[in-house]
Amino acid sequence: MKFSKYMGKWLYGEHGYYATYKDIGKSGDFYTAVSTSKFFGGSVAKYIISLVDEGFLVKDGVVCEIGAHHGYFLADVIEFIYTLRPELLDSLKFVIIERFENLQEFQKNYFDESFGDAVSLTHYKSLSELKCENAFFIANEIFDAFPCELYYKGKTAQVNGHEIEFDTDDEWVTSKAKKYHKDRGEIAVGYEEFAKEMTLACKKFEFMSFDYGEMQARPDFSIRVYKKHEVIPLFDEEIKRDELFASTDITYDVTFAHVKDAYEEAGVKFIELKAQMLALVDMGILELLEILKENVEDKIYKQELEKAKMLIMPSFLGERFKMIKFRKD
Ligand SMILES: C[S@@+](CC[C@H](N)C(=O)[O-])C[C@H]1O[C@@H](n2cnc3c(N)ncnc32)[C@H](O)[C@@H]1O
């Protein structure tokens, strides 16, 4: 089978990694910015309010998270909107796109416990079910979770059992590899369809997404497995793919030029790609930390500051992660 099918089964098959309940963060296999600090969602909340003030997002517009897993990101966004502009919670419509029913259930319970009736939350299994006029879409680490093909010097990989062999000619994969100057590496499958679905779902929107990668990813394999915070390259000589299959996370560096092209082909304007730490500073993370300092005990402030620093320190999530933003109006 094609590698993208194998990876699809690994992550999203009946017993796939994301199809069964998984913790993200300290007790899981990997950290994300969401599991690091609430000020990630807080900064996005401040940005959403600025979009309302600017007139781009109407007060009763949709705020939609895609690939929310536990829903903690959107919940953090809502918590900060409540602090900064509580009246918006009565009008904004919150949506999560989540294909797995068990995760939808988890998210519903978490929102009920956190907000009771104060917030309206709607679920859809896919973007193709959503129809709206005006929205703000957010996602964290979804583009590195799309299945991909593997390419090596003109050949595309096939998987037999758990063995990977580069023995197939695939025109589409080869053309993408040439376009992104890769003689070897991953070619994501599904960005084009996803971008089209978003444009069909909503007339006027902004989409902000955070992921690990570069505009032009280096021409090498970055595909790797995360197991209890250990990183194992997929082509490691010692790897036991049969044991890791579906029980660990599998991911790769995002080629943002591919995401950008997919959105531009769908008629959406690319706004910017920048380091996550710069994006968070632009959106006001430092002002939010200032507000916290004025309102809580020093001990709590210092705890939150340490966590938020992880997002904006070059050595951790801040520099390696990027924010990409698109607009359609
Ligand atoms: C690495 S996890 C990130 C989870 C969460 N956003 C966070 O930051 O903790 C990747 C998530 O993206 C979701 N995902 C991947 N492709 C998707 C797609 N095409 N549509 C919706 N969700 C998708 C997966 O189901 C999974 O929940």
Side-chain angles (χ1 to χ4, degrees):
M1 72 176 88
K2 284 183 166 185
F3 183 79
S4 58
K5 193 167 177 198
Y6 176 73
M7 184 169 165
K9 284 187 175 181
W10 186 313
L11 292 178
Y12 309 110
E14 197 188 340
H15 305 291
Y17 185 69
Y18 286 120
T20 49
Y21 177 89
K22 288 288 174 322
D23 245 344
I24 292 179
K26 204 170 168 192
S27 57
D29 294 300
F30 58 93
Y31 289 101
T32 67
V34 176
S35 57
T36 305
S37 161
K38 275 178 182 296
F39 282 76
F40 185 56
S43 307
V44 172
K46 199 163 183 300
Y47 182 71
I48 291 171
I49 293 168
S50 77
L51 282 182
V52 173
D53 291 343
E54 181 196 318
F56 184 83
L57 185 66
V58 291
K59 286 192 173 69
D60 58 353
V62 166
V63 173
C64 173
E65 183 178 3
I66 304 162
H69 202 74
H70 288 154
Y72 296 157
F73 189 19
L74 190 62
D76 291 345
V77 169
I78 291 172
E79 203 180 306
F80 275 79
I81 293 179
Y82 177 71
T83 307
L84 298 167
R85 194 73 66 82
E87 64 273 21
L88 276 180
L89 288 195
D90 296 334
S91 57
L92 288 173
K93 299 182 193 100
F94 296 95
V95 170
I96 289 181
I97 307 291
E98 175 58 63
R99 63 180 91 165
F100 296 115
E101 264 163 35
N102 59 339
L103 286 177
Q104 283 195 9
E105 203 50 43
F106 184 98
Q107 292 157 2
K108 265 184 211 142
N109 291 336
Y110 185 65
F111 271 61
D112 278 351
E113 280 165 28
S114 308
F115 310 114
D117 296 336
V119 165
S120 96
L121 175 70
T122 310
H123 276 102
Y124 297 106
K125 280 199 160 178
S126 122
L127 264 178
S128 60
E129 293 171 16
L130 174 70
K131 289 280 166 282
C132 64
E133 294 288 318
N134 185 206
F136 177 74
F137 292 103
I138 41 166
N140 187 54
E141 290 199 47
I142 65 162
F143 288 119
D144 67 351
F146 275 61
C148 66
E149 300 298 354
L150 299 178
Y151 177 84
Y152 183 74
K153 294 188 174 173
K155 296 285 180 190
T156 296
Q158 290 280 331
V159 186
N160 286 313
H162 294 276
E163 287 306 308
I164 300 169
E165 291 196 24
F166 291 88
D167 58 5
T168 305
D169 293 309
D170 185 311
E171 222 177 286
W172 184 83
V173 176
T174 305
S175 71
K176 292 285 174 199
K178 287 204 173 121
K179 190 168 184 187
Y180 302 118
H181 311 291
K182 296 185 192 204
D183 77 337
R184 69 200 67 187
E186 301 82 19
I187 303 294
V189 176
Y191 290 174
E192 291 77 9
E193 200 187 327
F194 184 78
K196 265 187 224 138
E197 272 183 9
M198 196 176 281
T199 59
L200 292 173
C202 185
K203 285 197 179 131
K204 177 177 173 180
F205 65 81
E206 220 180 84
F207 173 39
M208 178 181 280
S209 185
F210 297 85
D211 241 303
Y212 180 82
E214 297 292 339
M215 187 58 112
Q216 292 288 352
R218 63 203 156 85
D220 204 349
F221 290 106
S222 62
I223 192 153
R224 56 198 178 268
V225 170
Y226 282 84
K227 185 185 179 189
K228 302 273 162 234
H229 301 280
E230 184 195 350
V231 187
I232 311 162
L234 192 70
F235 293 111
D236 188 306
E237 282 182 8
E238 307 280 295
I239 196 166
K240 295 195 170 76
R241 288 191 203 105
D242 53 338
E243 286 173 19
L244 297 171
F245 183 81
S247 66
T248 56
D249 184 35
I250 180 166
T251 182
Y252 56 96
D253 294 2
V254 170
T255 298
F256 283 103
H258 189 176
V259 180
K260 176 174 176 279
D261 289 344
Y263 271 81
E264 286 180 338
E265 280 160 28
V268 184
K269 194 169 154 206
F270 165 70
I271 305 288
E272 61 179 348
L273 175 75
K274 60 164 64 169
Q276 173 175 289
M277 62 177 180
L278 295 180
L280 293 178
V281 170
D282 282 356
M283 289 193 282
I285 193 167
L286 301 178
E287 287 91 327
L288 291 178
L289 287 165
E290 237 357 84
I291 297 175
L292 183 76
K293 191 176 179 186
E294 284 159 18
N295 287 285
V296 297
E297 283 172 33
D298 208 39
K299 193 177 153 209
I300 295 181
Y301 168 69
K302 284 194 173 135
Q303 278 170 1
E304 291 301 322
L305 182 65
E306 279 317 301
K307 289 191 260 172
K309 267 190 194 166
M310 308 258 259
L311 297 172
I312 47 179
M313 293 269 281
S315 56
F316 188 53
L317 293 171
E319 197 175 55
R320 303 186 329 206
F321 279 82
K322 303 281 188 302
M323 179 274 274
I324 193 163
K325 195 162 76 181
F326 298 95
R327 201 177 246 216
K328 180 166 175 266
D329 45 16

